[in-house]
Amino acid sequence: MPSETIGEGIKRKWFHGEKGQMTIFNLEKGAHIPWHKHPNEQITYIMSGKVKIKTIIDGKETIVEVGAGEVIVFPENVPHEFWALEKTVDLDVHVPVRQDWLTKELPDYLKKSK
């Protein structure tokens, strides 16, 4: 899988099937993925490192830290934002496939991270 730089300190490799996709993010310490949402369920598994995440849990804006070996699930259309607290490898699964990624153009929220 080719790796692509999509923001300052953010690289991704991704592939998809018919119904879902997997992405490996390599985040440098301090990397930031801005506040966004999408119509896809997202399952995030932190393989190594640690991130701070702002999201909505039980209707309330919440900040959580997720570290190596931990998982967080974002239902469809739930906003979220990431900050890498240390060098991090993040495996994300999106269902269904992110149609906005198929165009090869970065979504607007990722353009803000450069």
Side-chain angles (χ1 to χ4, degrees):
M1 290 183 296
S3 181
E4 59 185 333
T5 299
I6 60 168
E8 189 173 329
I10 306 169
K11 290 185 178 183
R12 76 176 175 194
K13 297 180 201 177
W14 70 285
F15 58 95
H16 65 88
E18 287 184 38
K19 298 183 189 255
Q21 74 185 53
M22 292 180 70
T23 307
I24 297 171
F25 284 100
N26 289 282
L27 306 171
E28 294 298 323
K29 182 178 180 179
H32 175 236
I33 299 174
W35 188 248
H36 67 284
K37 65 180 179 176
H38 39 73
N40 317 76
E41 179 180 58
Q42 177 177 325
I43 302 166
T44 296
Y45 170 63
I46 303 300
M47 297 172 67
S48 64
K50 183 184 282 187
V51 293
K52 178 172 72 171
I53 300 170
K54 179 170 73 169
T55 190
I56 306 294
I57 299 175
D58 295 329
K60 184 177 177 184
E61 194 171 287
T62 304
I63 294 181
V64 296
E65 288 187 9
V66 182
E70 296 182 315
V71 175
I72 187 169
V73 177
F74 303 100
E76 60 188 31
N77 294 311
V78 171
H80 48 282
E81 181 170 13
F82 286 69
W83 293 268
L85 299 176
E86 51 192 68
K87 189 173 183 175
T88 299
V89 178
D90 165 354
L91 173 65
D92 283 358
V93 175
H94 291 95
V95 178
V97 175
R98 296 268 317 249
Q99 294 299 312
D100 56 337
W101 288 17
L102 294 175
T103 67
K104 305 291 185 199
E105 243 186 77
L106 286 180
D108 287 340
Y109 71 88
L110 284 173
K111 291 176 185 174
K112 296 175 190 172
S113 70
K114 288 192 169 188

